[in-house]
Amino acid sequence: MRWALVKVCLAVTVMVVVAFAVPLALVVEETARDRAFAGAERQASAVGPVLALTRDRRALQRAVAITQAGAEGRIAVHVPAGTAGSDAADGAAEDGGAVRGGGALRVGRSRAPQDRLAAARRLGSASTVEVEGGYALLRPIAVAGGEVAVVEVFVPDAEVTRGVATSWMMLAGVGIALVLGSVAVADRLGTRMVRPAERLAGAAHDLGEGALDVRVPEEGPTELRSAAAAFNSMADQVVQLLANERELAADLSHRLRTPLTVLRLNAASLGEGDTADQTRAAVAQLEAEVDRIIGAAREQRAQSPGTPHAVASDAAEVIRERMAFWSALAEDEGREARVAGAERPVRVPVARAELAAAVDALLGNVFRHTAEGTAFSVDLHSGGPGSEAVIVLVSDAGPGIPDPEAALRRGHGDGSPGSTGLGLDIVRRVAESTGGDVRLGRSVLGGTEVRMWLALRSGAGQRSRASRRVRRRLRRPARR
């Protein structure tokens, strides 16, 4: 926008300068020409009174010599025959005078052609003729006897164009100054318009990255001030909605305490045995998860908006622990389970509880949506020190997904009984919190493969690119 304003202002100013400067330059040239010929006219008029009084050669020479043009040898006087007199004839051969055709007299150097001189005598009006090195002004003057003498004034080209180049340079300088000034003004105006727009765009980007406390000063043109006010109102509503969501999560989790207490008491009365122990362990884990949700909601509510919560966990330890939990159910259903890559610690920038919830969601999908006896595997891939990502792969040998595109939609699921659509949404949010994403495909076991990509270096630019990748993935086949 800023450069567009500068270009528009530059084009308009250049057109205006050209429209005024070119005619003005021509006027300057014409004025200099008129000034030069007006000066020559005055020089010729100075000789006229002397011709009216006498045609004596010496008197005419003195009259010519006292003028500026005559002193420079640029005036010639042509007296016709019959008016020159005896004095003119006696000295015609001296000092540049000449007698032609029975007494015609010329004083000074003549440059005009004879036919133009004759035409000037016949017409009786001043005229100019182009000669070598400039122009000749021919001024007819009536003398005694009804004859017409001609005063010739030579005007050199330098005199005709004197001051024109300087005036043109001044016009060009003024034009360039106007163009530069208009560009500077346009740039200032563009900056005044663009800077609030840039602040608004940056604030929108920061809000998208999770900085909920970002606000935009309401400055600039009226339209941008309105946009800034709308953005600030939207950001306040987003903060309020998130706060309400956390409150709702805490309230719902708190409501689960009463039925959990009853379930724990009933589990305590089951007696001894593997089934009873597993039931009591599941109830204890459920109570711990509820307490963790309430604590996380309170912790997020206490933090200022947009403040990142730096956490990390050992992905290998979490996978080993969750596989140990699910292995009992896998053994009961006759499923072959395999774990690879979880032998050594692998640190990821995800809280332990969130990573465990994501792994549980992936393994829970396998048990809910595949038949008993279906094999599955969990693979943890890490490039070692200096790597940029950790990949968690959960594969199964099931039939796959009928409508994978709808699987990642929150609350939709794959349409099968018991599918809420929230499982992979948890996995996706965990991956995106690191700048990674979730990818889906066909596993080597013949069923579905879910690939959770956890970025280890999640800069702002990487998160933006990851978000775009995730949006592209959402248009591809997805999982339940």
Side-chain angles (χ1 to χ4, degrees):
M1 182 185 297
R2 180 178 175 184
W3 178 233
L5 288 175
V6 170
K7 289 193 293 185
V8 169
C9 190
L10 178 64
V12 172
T13 306
V14 168
M15 288 190 295
V16 171
V17 168
V18 170
F20 281 92
V22 172
L24 190 57
L26 297 177
V27 169
V28 167
E29 184 180 21
E30 188 66 24
T31 300
R33 179 186 180 92
D34 293 343
R35 183 184 63 244
F37 286 115
E41 183 76 19
R42 289 193 300 271
Q43 298 288 327
S45 299
V47 182
V50 179
L51 282 172
L53 297 175
T54 180
R55 270 71 65 195
D56 181 70
R57 178 185 58 80
R58 292 185 177 86
L60 292 177
Q61 287 177 341
R62 286 193 298 269
V64 170
I66 62 176
T67 62
Q68 180 181 355
E72 296 174 357
R74 295 192 288 111
I75 294 182
V77 180
H78 302 271
V79 181
T83 62
S86 61
D87 291 339
D90 291 340
E94 301 177 8
D95 301 324
V99 177
R100 297 187 182 91
L105 173 66
R106 185 190 69 210
V107 176
R109 179 186 174 187
S110 177
R111 296 175 175 82
Q114 292 298 319
D115 57 340
R116 298 302 297 269
L117 292 170
R121 291 192 187 96
R122 184 175 65 255
L123 297 174
S125 60
S127 62
T128 58
V129 58
E130 187 173 358
V131 297
E132 183 180 358
Y135 298 87
L137 173 67
L138 306 179
R139 171 70 184 277
I141 298 177
V143 295
E147 296 293 336
V148 177
V150 177
V151 179
E152 176 189 343
V153 182
F154 174 67
V155 183
D157 289 330
E159 184 68 19
V160 174
T161 60
R162 182 165 58 90
V164 173
T166 303
S167 300
W168 284 3
M169 291 179 63
M170 293 179 62
L171 286 175
V174 171
I176 293 174
L178 288 175
V179 171
L180 294 178
S182 67
V183 170
V185 172
D187 184 70
R188 292 287 296 176
L189 293 176
T191 300
R192 184 173 177 270
M193 295 180 60
V194 171
R195 189 168 296 163
E198 291 177 345
R199 285 197 295 264
L200 182 60
H205 180 271
D206 293 339
L207 182 64
E209 295 294 336
L212 301 181
D213 58 342
V214 64
R215 296 296 182 273
V216 181
E218 298 178 11
E219 301 174 352
T222 304
E223 294 79 3
L224 291 178
R225 288 200 301 269
S226 300
F231 174 84
N232 293 337
S233 176
M234 179 194 67
D236 294 337
Q237 292 179 6
V238 169
V239 172
Q240 185 62 40
L241 290 174
L242 288 177
N244 295 339
E245 182 182 358
R246 291 164 185 159
E247 290 287 351
L248 180 61
D251 292 344
L252 292 177
S253 301
H254 195 273
R255 293 176 186 177
L256 293 176
R257 284 185 177 276
T258 300
L260 280 176
T261 302
V262 176
L263 185 61
R264 179 168 53 81
L265 294 175
N266 293 336
S269 62
L270 292 178
E272 302 296 333
D274 294 339
T275 302
D277 293 341
Q278 292 177 3
T279 302
R280 284 190 286 268
V283 172
Q285 182 185 1
L286 186 57
E287 285 185 319
E289 291 295 337
V290 170
D291 292 339
R292 189 178 296 112
I293 292 174
I294 296 175
R298 290 173 177 172
E299 181 182 358
Q300 291 175 348
R301 188 165 58 246
Q303 290 179 349
S304 60
T307 302
H309 186 63
V311 292
S313 61
D314 184 358
E317 181 182 358
V318 171
I319 289 176
R320 291 196 302 269
E321 176 186 329
R322 302 321 301 158
M323 283 298 293
F325 173 80
W326 290 95
S327 60
L329 182 58
E331 184 178 354
D332 291 342
E333 294 185 356
R335 298 176 182 269
E336 179 183 354
R338 182 181 63 84
V339 181
E343 297 81 11
R344 55 185 179 85
V346 178
R347 303 293 294 180
V348 293
V350 181
R352 179 186 180 88
E354 296 180 2
L355 183 59
V359 174
D360 283 342
L362 293 174
L363 295 177
N365 277 340
V366 175
F367 282 88
R368 279 191 297 271
H369 301 288
T370 60
E372 294 186 5
T374 302
F376 68 93
S377 64
V378 179
D379 298 276
L380 179 63
H381 296 277
S382 173
S387 63
E388 297 184 353
V390 170
I391 299 174
V392 178
L393 291 178
V394 177
S395 308
D396 62 57
I401 307 171
D403 186 7
E405 184 177 355
L408 278 176
R409 299 178 192 169
R410 182 176 177 84
H412 187 279
D414 64 353
S416 60
S419 177
T420 64
L422 301 180
L424 278 183
D425 185 72
I426 296 174
V427 178
R428 178 177 56 80
R429 285 190 288 108
V430 170
E432 289 181 359
S433 68
T434 68
D437 60 11
V438 177
R439 303 181 185 182
L440 310 168
R442 178 67 68 176
S443 72
V444 295
L445 300 178
T448 304
E449 175 186 271
V450 182
R451 176 180 177 182
M452 181 170 62
W453 191 84
L454 303 176
L456 301 181
R457 301 176 183 177
S458 54
Q462 290 172 327
R463 285 197 299 270
S464 299
R465 291 192 296 271
S467 299
R468 289 194 296 269
R469 287 196 298 269
V470 170
R471 287 193 293 270
R472 289 196 297 269
R473 298 294 180 267
L474 291 177
R475 293 191 289 268
R476 297 182 180 180
R479 183 181 170 102
R480 52 190 175 271

